[in-house]
Structures are given as C-alpha cells and as structure tokens.
Amino acid sequence: GSTLFVVPNALILEPHRFARFLSDNRVSHLDTTPSYLSAIDPSELVTLKRVVFGGEYLSRELFEKYKRYIPGTINEYGPTETTICSTSFSSGTESTVPIGKPLGNTKAYVVDSKMGPLPVGVIGELYLSGVGVTRGY
C-alpha cells in the first residue's frame, strides 16, 4: 500500500529541495548514505518514521542527531557480495556506531588468517554466511 519514489538526480543534488520533496510527498522511509544526510537537518524531515544509513562510515554524532528526531534510525552494513545488507544496528552505548548484529538467515564470523574464530574485541577478517551471500563467495 505504499509508494516507491525514484528521485531525479537534479533533485538529489539539492538537499534542501530533496527534504521538501520528502515532506510534500509524506515519505516515511529513507535509505541513503551518511554523507548525504549530513547535509540535511533532521528536524526538516517530519514525515520520516525510519532512516536507514548505509554504504559508508557513520559517526556517532550524526547517528544520534537523527535518532533524536527519527526514532527508527538504523545503521546497516552489507558488503558487495551480499544482498543489500547483512547486519543492522539501531541502539546501544558504544562510542562509535557498530555495523550491528546479523540479520535473520545470516551469520557473521570474525576470523584470523587461518580462518580460526577470534574472541570478541579482537581485530580480524569479517566473514558472512547465509541466504543473502552471492554464490561463489
């Protein structure tokens, strides 16, 4: 029962006109990059119920700024080899915004150079598995 808007490039290039477009069309959900939304004041986005950040690093400051106005603010992560996103984060007290926990039918592993699992907090390589991973990975 909702409408999907494909926004013209010319409109995207003008963030304040884009914000007005969202309000005028009562858009409730938006998925875009943090760098784009950093150019828009979230208080202008009165019709949004959910904002999904993705595609690049999201600062805690920008995340919290949007969360104050739009409680449904989420950070999602998904590398190229997965379908759209694999993990999601919506709340927590970490000083940075993490990539979150795996979505349903997805598992995430942090492994060492020999593919052995690493304990929480240890830096390693992220491996994802599940129905959203493209064949061949």
Side-chain angles (χ1 to χ4, degrees):
S2 295
T3 301
L4 173 67
F5 289 94
V6 179
V7 182
N9 286 338
L11 186 58
I12 292 171
L13 294 174
E14 297 183 47
H16 296 291
R17 277 188 59 220
F18 178 71
R20 171 59 76 198
F21 172 86
L22 295 177
S23 294
D24 289 350
N25 289 283
R26 306 207 42 79
V27 173
S28 61
H29 292 65
L30 177 65
D31 190 334
T32 191
T33 60
S35 59
Y36 186 76
L37 283 182
S38 68
I40 300 174
D41 181 348
S43 68
E44 295 179 42
L45 306 175
V46 296
T47 63
L48 288 182
K49 295 177 183 174
R50 173 164 288 176
V51 170
V52 178
F53 287 101
E56 59 192 34
Y57 170 78
L58 172 59
S59 72
R60 174 56 82 168
E61 179 183 9
L62 186 61
F63 180 79
E64 292 299 334
K65 182 177 176 181
Y66 268 81
K67 193 97 170 149
R68 277 191 293 277
Y69 291 94
I70 306 161
T73 298
I74 298 171
N75 185 41
E76 291 187 340
Y77 170 80
T80 303
E81 65 269 17
T82 64
T83 305
I84 311 295
C85 66
S86 302
T87 65
S88 182
F89 171 83
S90 60
S91 66
T93 58
E94 299 85 347
S95 60
T96 60
V97 179
I99 63 171
K101 295 184 178 183
L103 299 175
N105 293 320
T106 303
K107 291 193 179 189
Y109 307 92
V110 178
V111 298
D112 61 21
S113 61
K114 296 178 182 166
M115 299 294 288
L118 291 169
V120 173
V122 175
I123 295 173
E125 190 73 26
L126 176 63
Y127 276 74
L128 299 165
S129 68
V131 297
V133 178
T134 304
R135 289 184 184 184
Y137 278 93

